Amino acid sequence: MSTSTHFDNRGQARMVDVTEKAVTARTAAASSIIEMNLTAAEAIRAGDSRKGDVLAVARLAGIGATKWTPTLIPLCHAIPIEGVELEFHWLTSPDDADRQSLQCLATVRTTYKTGVEMEAMTAASVAALTIYDMLKSVDRAMVIKQIRLESKTGGKSGEFVRGQ
Amino acid sequence: MSTSTHFDNRGQARMVDVTEKAVTARTAAASSIIEMNLTAAEAIRAGDSRKGDVLAVARLAGIGATKWTPTLIPLCHAIPIEGVELEFHWLTSPDDADRQSLQCLATVRTTYKTGVEMEAMTAASVAALTIYDMLKSVDRAMVIKQIRLESKTGGKSGEFVRGQ
Amino acid sequence: MSTSTHFDNRGQARMVDVTEKAVTARTAAASSIIEMNLTAAEAIRAGDSRKGDVLAVARLAGIGATKWTPTLIPLCHAIPIEGVELEFHWLTSPDDADRQSLQCLATVRTTYKTGVEMEAMTAASVAALTIYDMLKSVDRAMVIKQIRLESKTGGKSGEFVRGQ
Amino acid sequence: MSTSTHFDNRGQARMVDVTEKAVTARTAAASSIIEMNLTAAEAIRAGDSRKGDVLAVARLAGIGATKWTPTLIPLCHAIPIEGVELEFHWLTSPDDADRQSLQCLATVRTTYKTGVEMEAMTAASVAALTIYDMLKSVDRAMVIKQIRLESKTGGKSGEFVRGQ
Amino acid sequence: MSTSTHFDNRGQARMVDVTEKAVTARTAAASSIIEMNLTAAEAIRAGDSRKGDVLAVARLAGIGATKWTPTLIPLCHAIPIEGVELEFHWLTSPDDADRQSLQCLATVRTTYKTGVEMEAMTAASVAALTIYDMLKSVDRAMVIKQIRLESKTGGKSGEFVRGQ
Amino acid sequence: MSTSTHFDNRGQARMVDVTEKAVTARTAAASSIIEMNLTAAEAIRAGDSRKGDVLAVARLAGIGATKWTPTLIPLCHAIPIEGVELEFHWLTSPDDADRQSLQCLATVRTTYKTGVEMEAMTAASVAALTIYDMLKSVDRAMVIKQIRLESKTGGKSGEFVRGQ
């Protein structure tokens, strides 16, 4: 028997049948962290003063990515997305030496038979990839350090909140 | 003036004009690392014995993701992808206690006016996201630990190989 | 504070949360007008006599465009489209001198938490763009003169009918 | 015989064979004009002072639309887009009474066998539709007044510049 | 009057209005048969012993195709797919001389206002096309012999089971 | 070793590297046959007299499908399609008793490093699926009897013409 519900008992991939599952309100939040050099960090911070707003582009890319999740993730259901928000937070201050870390938190909502964890994970990933794309000319060595689910609510498996 | 070539000198986003750039052979390789518990790692290893091949699904998802890169990353050019390969390597052995780490290495090739770094980064990311999706029912706390460019060749900016 | 609900109170773009909104039957109708020379107008009218039916192609393009609206318009929700119709009407007679005007009216229906104004607007636009594409070889100077919402029903903001 | 090259001599639609056409550098520029009330115009102008940047969203939507042109316009070839820029200009001053007009100018570049007129037209249209979407809550009666090709260069049919 | 509900009474294509139809559980099953030479059949059977699993790729392609059905089939509604399974069966034994036949059976589920016949038909077709693509280098003359609806349940038109 | 070039020598799927292949003019032609009852056949023939032109819709669907081939077929390269034509021919006359057969022939052209066989096969399939969709209300038992490559030219593997 397979451990993953995405396979049947012969190990064959399938889109899991959710016909009988209840329609409930669901949310999921996922985060990504991207680490960069000071020049890249300054370019992002300068966006607030109208020199090209990297985070505005990354935010739209992350929102858009929730619409492409079932295209990217082969066995994902297409889910009616009812709300998406992306927040960016610096984990380091401009005075920190060397490497700077920026966190993206993506929150997605639906009312459906299955959850939006993958939509939140994909939004956080694509926002980080977009930041990399916008600034790879100033720091090609930039690294996405972490992508993870932070929390979810709704559905039979109930609430998940990541412990520290 | 903006530091990112994705903005003009008033800070307005644009798709950079590559009309004058030379068509050259280019490659890029990017990696992702996903960390999981022993149950999830066993499910992946069991795929080799026909209980549901998680990595085969993730590999196809990563290959497919190279075709969606210009859809996901707003200012990316659409590039004729001429070859894609994904390799998976365990960074830990089944006997290691606690958490297991799997690396995905995506290599992408083109002959075009601009490079395929974003295609390789997106392939590595989507492969990791697909593994998360396939196994989140056995380890919801699984974390993508790292996504980064490993190397690139071709184009005016020349070769890049990540130092250790 | 922002005037547009598509931004939060810090001016950051988001996909508006519609979780709490009621599911109701909704319709929207939008129109476009395209102005062309006599040769182009004759080519369209000749379509009725089997020399290549420009409006049949434009009608399918407009229907198809309703499916791409959330891809094109960044903060749009994906809405289950339940019906689409496109009508074309000449606003000028073949005997009118000089420029001829053709109107397209697109009507879209759904039963959902938010409306289909953008789907109707996009259908009317893409139908007009398709006519331009089909006939630009005979009249490159053709102009889309107007795209506007004509009416909507359903939802909290209620009915809208454009006055003259 | 059909007047449109998009039909064969029996009036049947086809994607025109461009195999024999020469690869040349090509550009196309198209414009759209959107007319709105003072409240909507103020919301756009306020975007410059960080209350939600409508034009930044519309600009990205227009750039993105060039990638979807062959999906939207049935008989269009998929063309390698090598550069896209969108400019917005007010045609009226904030002191003008009543209705305000904003122009969008989209410029698209390629090096290919056929031109990018439809990509430029689609970019200008989708930018205008996005502005409508962002501000329809403050002015549902907003009207797209005009979408037209402004100029093109390259290709066998040569240069086109719209006269006044 | 037109016989097809996809046209109105003037013969103009439309997306049929399903607003008033009842939401019910619906299933559809469709099959395809692909006929190939012994070398190609052996390559597929060898997939079970880890020499490259053609059917695993075809199965994912078929599942994915259900998500693209409204893109491919112009007047199709976009339907929330709630489950997809693909089964492959050999209709001939490895000892049969000459040509070998493989059947694909695709089953699709939804709870919606209209049925999933086209999603099942498209899944069975794309799975067969993918097998052709994977093995055309060893048997370019391979033929898809049959694609047909096998059964459907739910909706006003009720149950359909193909007779022999 | 694997027989299919779509797998490496460990049986892992890949997008085949075509970097070194020569750019040449290439064509491919594929056919499909759809068998239907007399009522469905009459509905198609009536399309010529303006009661709803089934074949015009199917032709556009087939042309459009060439653009979606790399999305549908997992390991396909995205190829610049330079021309597409679809022809429909009745294999039976209206006087033939019982079942009627309609053939679709799709021809696709490119100038690229790899061929367009899959684009032609997909176009012929989707045209047939669209006919099924348009007329399933009058003949749900309609069957696609055959999809196959008819011929190809260009590329290292040279010319292929199906024998009788």
Side-chain angles (χ1 to χ4, degrees):
Chain A
M1 207 209 74
S2 171
T3 328
S4 165
T5 55
H6 288 288
F7 295 114
D8 66 17
N9 54 19
R10 283 159 303 169
Q12 295 177 345
R14 61 180 174 188
M15 190 195 285
V16 179
D17 182 5
V18 299
T19 315
E20 300 299 321
K21 294 181 79 175
V23 172
T24 63
R26 294 157 188 268
T27 66
S31 69
S32 58
I33 297 175
I34 185 161
E35 198 187 84
M36 65 196 78
N37 66 20
L38 282 169
T39 314
E42 274 159 28
I44 292 178
R45 288 191 174 100
D48 294 330
S49 47
R50 317 298 310 141
K51 292 198 181 178
D53 192 342
V54 171
L55 299 189
V57 179
R59 186 177 285 113
L60 286 178
I63 292 171
T66 63
K67 304 178 185 175
W68 292 105
T69 305
T71 293
L72 296 170
I73 313 294
L75 302 171
C76 249
H77 297 80
I79 291 178
I81 307 295
E82 297 184 336
V84 186
E85 280 161 53
L86 273 86
E87 298 281 336
F88 295 96
H89 306 281
W90 287 101
L91 302 181
T92 42
S93 90
D95 303 328
D96 286 1
D98 210 21
R99 306 294 286 173
Q100 296 273 311
S101 290
L102 179 71
Q103 187 185 41
C104 168
L105 183 68
T107 307
V108 183
R109 292 166 220 282
T110 191
T111 308
Y112 196 57
K113 297 184 176 188
T114 182
V116 280
E117 291 97 314
M118 291 318 299
E119 281 74 10
M121 294 282 285
T122 304
S125 303
V126 169
L129 289 168
T130 299
I131 291 170
Y132 182 83
D133 180 48
M134 304 289 286
L135 293 170
K136 65 182 189 296
S137 59
V138 299
D139 182 8
R140 199 175 300 279
M142 212 184 297
V143 175
I144 301 173
K145 296 295 282 185
Q146 185 181 275
I147 299 167
R148 67 182 201 187
L149 188 69
E150 293 296 338
S151 64
K152 68 171 279 284
T153 66
K156 201 177 163 190
S157 72
E159 202 160 331
F160 167 84
V161 181
R162 182 175 292 274
Q164 294 309 325
Chain B
M1 206 208 75
S2 171
T3 329
S4 166
T5 56
H6 289 288
F7 295 113
D8 65 17
N9 54 20
R10 284 160 302 170
Q12 295 178 346
R14 61 181 174 187
M15 189 194 286
V16 179
D17 183 4
V18 298
T19 314
E20 299 299 322
K21 295 180 78 176
V23 172
T24 63
R26 294 158 188 267
T27 65
S31 68
S32 58
I33 297 174
I34 184 161
E35 196 188 85
M36 65 196 78
N37 67 20
L38 283 169
T39 313
E42 275 159 28
I44 292 177
R45 289 191 173 98
D48 293 331
S49 48
R50 316 298 310 140
K51 293 200 179 176
D53 193 341
V54 170
L55 299 189
V57 179
R59 186 177 285 112
L60 287 177
I63 293 171
T66 62
K67 303 178 186 174
W68 292 104
T69 304
T71 294
L72 296 171
I73 312 296
L75 302 172
C76 250
H77 298 80
I79 291 178
I81 307 295
E82 297 185 336
V84 186
E85 280 161 53
L86 274 86
E87 297 284 334
F88 296 96
H89 306 282
W90 287 101
L91 302 181
T92 43
S93 90
D95 303 328
D96 284 1
D98 209 21
R99 306 293 287 174
Q100 295 273 310
S101 288
L102 179 72
Q103 187 185 41
C104 168
L105 184 67
T107 308
V108 182
R109 291 167 220 281
T110 191
T111 308
Y112 196 57
K113 298 186 176 186
T114 182
V116 280
E117 292 97 313
M118 290 318 299
E119 282 72 12
M121 294 282 285
T122 303
S125 302
V126 169
L129 289 168
T130 299
I131 292 171
Y132 182 83
D133 180 49
M134 303 290 284
L135 292 171
K136 64 183 189 295
S137 59
V138 301
D139 182 8
R140 200 173 300 277
M142 211 184 297
V143 175
I144 301 173
K145 296 296 281 186
Q146 185 179 276
I147 299 166
R148 66 182 200 186
L149 188 69
E150 294 296 338
S151 64
K152 68 171 279 285
T153 66
K156 199 178 163 191
S157 72
E159 202 161 331
F160 166 85
V161 181
R162 182 175 291 273
Q164 293 309 325
Chain C
M1 207 210 71
S2 171
T3 329
S4 165
T5 56
H6 288 288
F7 295 113
D8 66 17
N9 54 20
R10 282 160 303 169
Q12 295 177 346
R14 61 181 174 185
M15 189 194 286
V16 179
D17 182 5
V18 299
T19 315
E20 300 298 322
K21 295 180 78 174
V23 171
T24 63
R26 294 157 188 268
T27 65
S31 70
S32 58
I33 296 175
I34 185 162
E35 196 188 86
M36 66 197 77
N37 66 19
L38 282 169
T39 314
E42 274 159 29
I44 292 178
R45 288 191 173 100
D48 294 330
S49 48
R50 317 300 309 143
K51 292 199 181 179
D53 192 341
V54 171
L55 299 189
V57 179
R59 185 178 285 113
L60 286 178
I63 293 171
T66 62
K67 304 177 185 176
W68 292 105
T69 305
T71 293
L72 297 170
I73 312 295
L75 302 171
C76 248
H77 298 79
I79 292 178
I81 307 295
E82 297 185 337
V84 187
E85 279 161 54
L86 274 86
E87 298 282 335
F88 296 96
H89 306 282
W90 287 101
L91 302 181
T92 42
S93 90
D95 303 328
D96 286 1
D98 209 21
R99 306 293 287 172
Q100 295 273 312
S101 290
L102 179 72
Q103 187 186 41
C104 167
L105 183 68
T107 308
V108 183
R109 292 166 220 281
T110 191
T111 308
Y112 197 57
K113 296 184 176 187
T114 182
V116 281
E117 291 97 314
M118 290 318 300
E119 282 73 10
M121 293 282 285
T122 303
S125 302
V126 169
L129 288 168
T130 300
I131 291 171
Y132 183 82
D133 180 49
M134 304 289 285
L135 293 171
K136 65 183 187 297
S137 59
V138 299
D139 182 8
R140 200 175 299 278
M142 211 184 296
V143 176
I144 301 173
K145 297 296 281 187
Q146 183 180 278
I147 299 168
R148 67 183 201 185
L149 188 69
E150 294 296 339
S151 63
K152 68 172 278 284
T153 66
K156 200 177 162 192
S157 71
E159 201 160 332
F160 166 84
V161 181
R162 182 175 292 273
Q164 293 311 323
Chain D
M1 207 207 74
S2 171
T3 329
S4 166
T5 56
H6 289 288
F7 296 113
D8 66 18
N9 55 20
R10 283 159 304 168
Q12 296 178 345
R14 62 181 174 187
M15 189 194 286
V16 179
D17 183 5
V18 298
T19 314
E20 300 298 322
K21 294 180 78 175
V23 172
T24 62
R26 294 159 188 266
T27 65
S31 69
S32 58
I33 297 174
I34 184 161
E35 196 189 86
M36 64 196 79
N37 66 20
L38 283 169
T39 314
E42 275 159 27
I44 292 178
R45 289 191 173 100
D48 293 330
S49 47
R50 315 301 308 143
K51 293 200 180 176
D53 193 341
V54 170
L55 298 189
V57 179
R59 186 178 285 112
L60 287 177
I63 292 171
T66 62
K67 303 178 186 174
W68 292 105
T69 304
T71 294
L72 296 170
I73 312 296
L75 302 171
C76 249
H77 297 81
I79 292 177
I81 307 295
E82 296 185 336
V84 186
E85 281 162 52
L86 273 87
E87 298 282 335
F88 295 96
H89 306 281
W90 287 101
L91 303 181
T92 42
S93 90
D95 303 328
D96 285 1
D98 208 22
R99 307 293 287 173
Q100 296 273 312
S101 289
L102 179 72
Q103 187 185 42
C104 168
L105 183 69
T107 308
V108 183
R109 290 167 221 282
T110 191
T111 309
Y112 197 57
K113 297 185 176 185
T114 181
V116 281
E117 293 98 312
M118 290 319 300
E119 282 72 11
M121 294 281 286
T122 303
S125 302
V126 169
L129 288 169
T130 299
I131 292 171
Y132 182 83
D133 179 48
M134 304 290 284
L135 293 171
K136 66 183 187 295
S137 59
V138 301
D139 183 8
R140 199 174 299 279
M142 210 183 298
V143 175
I144 300 173
K145 295 297 281 187
Q146 184 179 278
I147 299 168
R148 66 183 201 186
L149 188 68
E150 294 297 337
S151 63
K152 69 172 278 284
T153 66
K156 199 176 162 191
S157 72
E159 201 160 332
F160 166 84
V161 180
R162 183 175 291 273
Q164 294 310 324
Chain E
M1 208 208 73
S2 171
T3 328
S4 166
T5 55
H6 288 287
F7 296 113
D8 66 16
N9 55 20
R10 281 159 304 168
Q12 295 178 345
R14 60 181 175 187
M15 189 194 286
V16 179
D17 182 5
V18 299
T19 315
E20 300 297 322
K21 293 181 78 174
V23 171
T24 63
R26 294 158 188 266
T27 66
S31 69
S32 58
I33 297 175
I34 185 161
E35 197 188 85
M36 65 196 78
N37 67 19
L38 281 169
T39 314
E42 274 159 30
I44 292 178
R45 288 191 174 99
D48 294 329
S49 48
R50 316 300 309 142
K51 293 200 181 177
D53 193 342
V54 171
L55 298 190
V57 180
R59 186 178 284 114
L60 286 178
I63 292 171
T66 63
K67 303 177 185 175
W68 292 105
T69 305
T71 294
L72 296 170
I73 312 295
L75 302 172
C76 248
H77 297 80
I79 291 178
I81 307 295
E82 297 185 336
V84 186
E85 281 162 52
L86 272 86
E87 298 282 335
F88 295 96
H89 306 281
W90 287 101
L91 301 181
T92 43
S93 90
D95 303 328
D96 285 2
D98 209 22
R99 305 295 287 172
Q100 296 272 311
S101 289
L102 179 72
Q103 187 186 42
C104 168
L105 183 67
T107 308
V108 183
R109 291 167 221 281
T110 192
T111 309
Y112 196 57
K113 298 184 175 185
T114 181
V116 280
E117 292 97 314
M118 290 319 299
E119 281 74 11
M121 294 282 286
T122 303
S125 303
V126 169
L129 288 168
T130 299
I131 292 170
Y132 182 83
D133 179 49
M134 304 290 284
L135 293 170
K136 66 184 187 296
S137 59
V138 300
D139 183 8
R140 200 174 300 278
M142 212 184 296
V143 175
I144 300 173
K145 296 295 282 186
Q146 184 180 277
I147 299 167
R148 66 182 201 186
L149 188 69
E150 293 297 338
S151 63
K152 68 171 279 285
T153 65
K156 199 177 163 191
S157 72
E159 201 160 333
F160 166 85
V161 181
R162 183 175 291 274
Q164 292 310 323
Chain F
M1 209 209 71
S2 173
T3 330
S4 165
T5 56
H6 289 288
F7 296 113
D8 66 17
N9 55 19
R10 284 160 302 170
Q12 296 177 345
R14 61 181 173 185
M15 189 194 286
V16 179
D17 182 5
V18 298
T19 314
E20 300 298 322
K21 295 181 77 175
V23 172
T24 62
R26 294 158 188 267
T27 66
S31 69
S32 58
I33 298 174
I34 185 162
E35 196 188 87
M36 64 196 80
N37 66 19
L38 283 169
T39 314
E42 275 159 28
I44 293 177
R45 288 191 173 101
D48 293 330
S49 48
R50 314 299 309 144
K51 293 201 180 176
D53 192 341
V54 170
L55 298 189
V57 179
R59 186 178 286 112
L60 286 177
I63 293 171
T66 63
K67 302 178 186 175
W68 292 104
T69 305
T71 293
L72 296 170
I73 312 296
L75 303 171
C76 248
H77 297 80
I79 291 178
I81 307 296
E82 297 185 336
V84 186
E85 280 162 52
L86 274 85
E87 296 283 334
F88 295 97
H89 306 282
W90 287 101
L91 303 181
T92 42
S93 89
D95 303 328
D96 285 2
D98 209 21
R99 307 293 287 172
Q100 295 273 312
S101 289
L102 179 72
Q103 187 185 41
C104 168
L105 183 68
T107 307
V108 183
R109 291 167 220 280
T110 191
T111 308
Y112 197 57
K113 297 185 176 186
T114 181
V116 281
E117 292 97 313
M118 291 318 300
E119 282 72 12
M121 294 281 285
T122 303
S125 301
V126 169
L129 288 168
T130 299
I131 292 171
Y132 182 83
D133 180 49
M134 304 290 285
L135 293 171
K136 64 183 189 297
S137 59
V138 300
D139 183 8
R140 200 174 299 278
M142 211 184 296
V143 175
I144 300 173
K145 296 296 282 186
Q146 184 179 277
I147 299 167
R148 66 182 201 187
L149 188 69
E150 293 298 337
S151 64
K152 68 173 278 286
T153 66
K156 199 176 162 192
S157 72
E159 202 160 333
F160 166 85
V161 181
R162 183 174 291 275
Q164 293 310 326

